[in-house]
Amino acid sequence: MQKRLAAFLFSTRLTATLFIVFAIAMAVGTFMDASYDRPPSNYAREWIFNAWWFEAIMVIFVINFTGNIFRFRLYRKEKWATLLLHLSFILIIVGAGITRYIGYEGSMLIREGATENTFLSEKTYLNVFIDGDYKIDGVVQRRQIPMEELRLSERLDNDFTINTDYNKQPVSIRYKNFISHAEEGLVPSETGDEYLKIVEAGDGNRHDHWVKVGEVMNIHNVLFAVNKQTPGAINISISESGEYAIEAPFEGSFMRMADQFRGEVVADSVQPLNLRSLYQMANMAFVFPEPVSKGTYKAVKSEEETGVDALVVEVSSNGETKEIELMGGQFQAPDPRAVEVGGLKVYLTYGSKKHELPFSITLNDFIADKQPGTEKVYSAFKSKVTVNNTEQDYFDYDIYMNHVLDHQGY
């Protein structure tokens, strides 16, 4: 029986079969990545690349290649080429295993001239901490819940429940929904709150904002207030008869799109607000495209790839349950969102873990070479960086295709 098992494990037929299965799995996973989510998609990872059977194929590969070396005596001089091929596959698979189970990946974003020593993990987590009235020496004790790794996809069964407690008071967090490529928008509802839509292009790209009537919103460090007089803000007032007025601390101008009529905005002066007109002030261009709308402000599916996902969970404690939406996802580090339930304040974030490097990197210059005669087709990228171990210990390095920076195990 043992001889039959060894003959099977070390047979060339098994090697060929494993290669075929491996090639098919890789092809299917690649097509799954290309057709859904941001690659590499959690859908493909869960069903193929992180599946137990895929890992088993890698283990059997190593056993098969190792056994073949001794079965066919590949260590003989005349078979050095075949031996080298087998050893190469063993080294690749073992190296991949070490990277997978010991190493970790992430993304570091650095602006030109900036210095950074942290990066965001490739894996995503749900981070939770709870505040209540439990005190020690007069100091409120915060309960930090161990971070929960999540691999979510709209095609997967994402269901999970986290049961914990705060000072022996049970707290439960349960999965409700997941939206890939999400954005926050207004879902029309006659029973919802009133919002005024603002469309701006402060950074050169269009962004939609919904300011709730009676509240203030910060848009690119400019305050917009609707029916809430706020010093230093662009104040929009709406009368009971439906008339709109604007008062701003900035000089500006507007252009009515329907007839191209142009006018000036006088600082600290109440003037009629023109809907569907392009306003320019405070180094920003914005439009109020429509009157106040009623609805619910929540996460919705975006028509474009936003790079941001939405996780909806239910938080329960002491017989009370509330729903909260968490905007975040891979390579995102959002601020915590809070929900009060059962006399506790629960803070949650959904995004990547922040790792700190034992050194820092300064981006001196980023060079993008374009294909001749084109404006948006790039042929190569290069980053000129300085690696700072200490203020006195540093060196310059150029990062480009097939010329990576390898430093202190990173």
Side-chain angles (χ1 to χ4, degrees), residues 323-381:
E323 185 178 291
I324 184 170
E325 295 177 341
L326 307 174
M327 304 295 292
Q330 189 181 53
F331 304 138
Q332 304 289 325
D335 294 328
R337 287 195 172 181
V339 57
E340 294 189 20
V341 56
L344 303 175
K345 200 164 188 178
V346 183
Y347 297 85
L348 307 98
T349 61
Y350 168 59
S352 295
K353 182 189 296 185
K354 185 174 287 188
H355 294 278
E356 186 171 338
L357 294 172
F359 55 90
S360 64
I361 297 177
T362 302
L363 178 59
N364 302 313
D365 192 18
F366 175 72
I367 303 170
D369 296 328
K370 298 178 181 178
Q371 295 284 5
T374 65
E375 289 296 326
K376 295 184 178 180
V377 181
Y378 294 92
S379 60
F381 302 96

Side-chain angles (χ1 to χ4, degrees), residues 29-30 32-46 49-50 105 122-124 151-153 156 309 330-331:
T30 301
M32 291 169 68
D33 272 348
S35 64
Y36 197 76
D37 283 341
R38 295 182 303 279
S41 71
N42 289 327
Y43 183 49
R45 284 177 179 268
E46 286 296 299
F49 303 124
N50 285 352
E105 301 177 25
E122 172 265 337
K123 295 180 179 179
T124 54
R151 289 195 294 265
L152 305 177
S153 169
L156 292 173
D309 301 327
Q330 189 181 53
F331 304 138

Side-chain angles (χ1 to χ4, degrees), residues 54 72 92 102 114 142 162 172 204 238 263 282 293 331 367 377 402:
F54 192 83
F72 298 104
I92 291 171
I102 299 178
R142 171 166 288 180
I162 300 174
S172 175
I238 307 170
S293 303
F331 304 138
I367 303 170
V377 181
N402 295 329

